[in-house]
């Protein structure tokens, strides 16, 4: 019988021919001390727990600068007198005080080490106030290469926004810039020229017009919030609102758009209640009822800023008008509204401790797109969508990055991650159980920062199967598991190849039109069919390859 081998498989066999059966070796990447200071829990971070930020800034469009202060409330976990605060060059800290006393500090790259003089007793709640100023890094390709975006709208008004995932919030304001310690709430006061408005996270508490021709907008966040989720959006905004009747009652939904786009926004943003209905069904209640939901027009594509989701998709369906799945289903919804809002559950509710585990944000949220399609257009449509995005998978490097150095893994965390979860759903083989697992994730890890291990362990427990090698295969290796088989009359011999050591995943295979559940290993197994085997097909909803060996 003719040997069939997918061309993609051939390329992987060549590229991975020298790899051992274990996980890929990632030791050839080198990192600096600055990477470690940014990405690890240093002793200058470990001893204190951030409780509250009060960020008070002035945005100066004329010279693209920010000036202001951040009052940091913290709890002493163990006595120590040196505190690490992060603020990236070219921004500068100008003064730090505690109890009215100026403190000494020294800079090392993007880190400031502040020497405290007051006694730091265990359990005490204290504050420092950090004053700063400067021209923050200009975003080159937001939101991927972030910073501050300084643009003009078509009427010549300033249009300004922050975006800083990966790069870090310390690109524009001083804070404890590590994801493991999430502040419990904060106040964001932003002063802008009077004809402009600032929109930030949480609820608008106050609007203060000043005699100097500026206005200060005061926003209050009542829920825990990750650093990169904090944002400013400055523009000539108008707003409208509605109440969504959700699982926890009335949810305030507010929309802020440039004046000229109001009519388009009122039509396009009808997607929001549809999104909320689908995601509350799949994931549980929207996680931030106390802070409301906002969709804010921004001068870049968009970002998942908590309770202040930014939008720049041109008031059109798809991803800038394109269907990333190539199936047609991607043009049935506005990608940015659905995807970035999906992050309210996976990124803002459940947040990674280390950016190496960014898949926890992106894999689930990419998968949420297919769940949205499924909710409104049926299971077949949702399945077709998630299979369609496979064409975007690169399999270039492992999805999980390096820990403690602020290093994210492969962009495959999006499309491959979604298909990994879709494969896991096939293993569960019970749609209501799968839905309860997704909702359980959001209730079990509600407003928490997590590690990959916590998520893996939870899924193993809920699925009722040790998923260690499953996650090793899809998160820590680039090879696609291959169902290798040979047919001898009515006997099917089969095994997994192209796998990590110990890989063990059941799979559904269609034999002569009838679906059979098999449990391949790394060694040959046999299945005897009642009649001669004419055709074998692996269920297409598993992200695997198949290869029929010659007799």
């Amino acid at each position: 019988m003719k040997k069939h081998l997918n061309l993609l498989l051939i390329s992987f066999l060549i590229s991975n021919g020298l790899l051992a059966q274990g996980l890929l070796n990632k030791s050839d990447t080198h990192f600096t001390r600055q990477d470690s200071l940014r990405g690890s829990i240093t002793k200058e971070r470990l001893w204190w727990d951030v409780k509250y930020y009060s960020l008070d800034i002035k945005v100066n469009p004329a010279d693209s600068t920010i000036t202001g202060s951040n009052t940091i409330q913290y709890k002493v976990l163990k006595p120590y007198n040196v505190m690490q605060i992060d603020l990236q060059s070219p921004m500068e800290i100008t003064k730090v005080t505690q109890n009215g006393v100026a403190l000494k500090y020294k800079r090392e790259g993007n880190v400031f080490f502040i020497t405290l003089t007051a006694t730091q007793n265990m359990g005490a709640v204290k504050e420092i106030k950090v004053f700063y100023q400067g021209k923050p890094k200009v975003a080159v390709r937001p939101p991927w290469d972030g910073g501050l975006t300084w643009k003009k709208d078509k009427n010549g008004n300033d249009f300004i926004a922050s975006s800083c995932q990966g790069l870090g919030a310390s690109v524009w304001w001083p804070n404890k810039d590590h994801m493991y310690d999430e502040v419990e709430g904060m106040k964001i006061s932003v002063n802008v020229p009077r004809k402009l408005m600032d929109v930030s996270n949480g609820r608008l508490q106050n609007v203060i017009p000043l005699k100097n021709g500026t206005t200060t907008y005061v926003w209050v966040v009542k829920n825990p919030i990750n650093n990169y989720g904090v944002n400013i959006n400055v523009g000539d905004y108008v707003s409208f609102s509605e109440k969504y009747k959700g699982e926890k009652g009335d949810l305030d939904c507010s929309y802020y758009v440039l004046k000229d786009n109001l009519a388009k926004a009122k039509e396009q943003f009808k997607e929001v209640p549809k999104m909320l209905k689908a995601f509350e069904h799949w994931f549980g209640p929207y996680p931030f009822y106390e802070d409301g939901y906002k969709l804010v027009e921004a001068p870049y594509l968009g970002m998942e800023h908590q309770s202040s989701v930014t939008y720049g998709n041109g008031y059109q369906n798809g991803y800038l008008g394109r269907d990333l799945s190539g199936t047609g289903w991607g043009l049935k919804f506005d990608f940015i509204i659905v995807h970035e809002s999906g992050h309210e559950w996976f990124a803002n509710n459940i947040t990674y401790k280390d950016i190496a585990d960014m898949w926890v944000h992106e894999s689930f949220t990419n998968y949420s797109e297919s769940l949205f399609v499924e909710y409104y257009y049926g299971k077949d449509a949702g399945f077709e969508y998630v299979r369609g995005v496979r064409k975007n998978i690169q399999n270039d490097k492992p999805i999980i990055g390096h820990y403690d150095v602020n290093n994210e893994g492969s962009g495959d965390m999006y499309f491959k991650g979604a298909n990994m979860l879709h494969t896991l759903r096939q293993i569960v083989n019970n749609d209501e159980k799968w839905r309860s697992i997704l909702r359980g994730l959001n209730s079990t890890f509600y407003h928490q920062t997590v590690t990959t291990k916590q998520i893996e362990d939870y899924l193993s427990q809920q699925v009722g199967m040790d998923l260690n090698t499953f996650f090793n295969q899809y998160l820590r290796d680039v090879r696609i598991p291959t169902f290798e088989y040979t047919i001898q009359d009515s006997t099917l011999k089969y095994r997994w190849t192209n796998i990590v050591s110990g890989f063990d995943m059941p799979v559904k295979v269609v034999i002569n039109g009838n679906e059979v559940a098999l449990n391949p290993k790394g060694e040959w197994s046999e299945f005897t069919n009642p009649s001669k085997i004419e055709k074998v097909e692996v269920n297409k909803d598993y992200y695997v390859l198949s290869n029929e060996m010659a007799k």
Side-chain angles (χ1 to χ4, degrees), residues 8-119:
L8 187 59
L9 174 59
I10 295 175
S11 69
F12 282 119
L13 290 174
I14 294 172
S15 63
N16 294 301
L18 298 179
L19 290 173
Q21 285 289 90
L23 307 185
L24 292 182
N25 185 347
K26 301 189 289 183
S27 63
D28 58 343
T29 305
H30 301 285
F31 296 97
T32 67
R33 172 167 165 78
Q34 280 295 304
D35 294 322
S36 295
L37 288 175
R38 171 75 174 86
S40 64
I41 305 173
T42 63
K43 65 179 185 295
E44 292 82 9
R45 285 171 166 163
L46 183 63
W47 68 272
W48 59 285
D49 173 31
V50 63
K51 306 294 287 184
Y52 197 85
Y53 290 131
S54 184
L55 182 62
D56 187 355
I57 64 172
K58 178 180 178 65
V59 178
N60 306 290
D63 60 1
S64 303
T65 62
I66 289 178
T67 58
S69 65
N70 187 21
T71 301
I72 303 171
Q73 184 187 86
Y74 65 95
K75 182 177 181 179
V76 179
L77 301 180
K78 58 183 291 187
Y80 200 67
N81 72 331
V82 180
M83 176 181 285
Q84 177 178 334
I85 297 295
D86 305 280
L87 184 65
Q88 297 178 33
S89 180
M91 302 297 285
E92 288 282 354
I93 289 178
T94 56
K95 184 170 67 171
V96 183
T97 63
Q98 184 167 53
N99 302 325
V101 177
L103 303 177
K104 293 182 179 180
Y105 56 88
K106 66 177 181 178
R107 180 169 202 162
E108 184 178 346
N110 295 324
V111 167
F112 289 79
F113 293 108
I114 300 165
T115 301
L116 308 176
T117 57
T119 303

Side-chain angles (χ1 to χ4, degrees), residues 156-330:
N157 299 306
D158 289 296
F159 195 20
I160 304 161
S162 61
S163 56
C164 54
Q165 186 180 17
L167 178 63
S170 56
V171 72
W172 66 276
W173 61 286
N175 61 87
K176 188 179 191 179
D177 204 3
H178 192 290
M179 299 292 285
Y180 89 98
D181 192 2
E182 202 166 80
V183 72
E184 295 174 11
M186 69 182 295
K187 182 167 71 172
I188 308 165
S189 302
V190 183
N191 179 262
V192 296
R194 184 162 296 171
K195 65 179 179 178
L196 302 176
M197 179 182 187
D198 170 70
V199 183
S200 291
N201 315 80
R203 293 184 184 271
L204 185 61
Q205 183 184 72
N206 207 356
V207 179
I208 308 169
L210 301 178
K211 293 180 179 179
N212 63 0
T214 65
T215 303
T216 298
Y217 292 84
V218 182
W219 298 84
V220 174
V221 181
K222 292 187 177 180
N223 287 291
I225 185 169
N226 62 59
N227 291 336
Y228 84 82
V230 177
N231 73 342
I232 56 172
N233 302 281
V234 179
D236 184 23
Y237 287 121
V238 293
S239 67
F240 60 103
S241 63
E242 62 182 323
K243 289 188 183 293
Y244 172 76
K245 294 190 177 300
E247 290 192 14
K248 290 178 67 174
D250 286 346
L251 172 62
D252 293 322
C253 298
S254 303
Y255 311 107
Y256 293 84
V257 300
L258 297 181
K259 287 181 180 179
D260 291 347
N261 294 329
L262 181 59
K264 288 186 289 186
K266 285 187 173 181
E267 183 62 31
Q268 191 70 8
F269 290 2
K270 290 178 181 177
E271 189 96 287
V272 170
K274 291 181 61 180
M275 172 276 299
L276 289 167
K277 186 176 182 181
F279 288 167
E280 286 206 332
H281 169 82
W282 286 110
F283 303 142
Y286 174 75
F288 308 105
Y289 270 73
E290 301 84 355
D291 292 322
Y293 171 92
K294 290 193 295 297
L295 193 60
V296 187
E297 186 171 358
Y300 61 90
L301 184 61
M303 192 68 193
E304 69 260 25
H305 303 108
Q306 183 174 309
S307 73
S308 181
V309 176
T310 47
Y311 177 86
N313 199 39
Y315 300 98
Q316 60 189 323
N317 282 357
Y319 177 96
L320 294 174
R322 296 185 292 114
D323 176 9
L324 295 180
S325 75
T327 64
W329 295 114

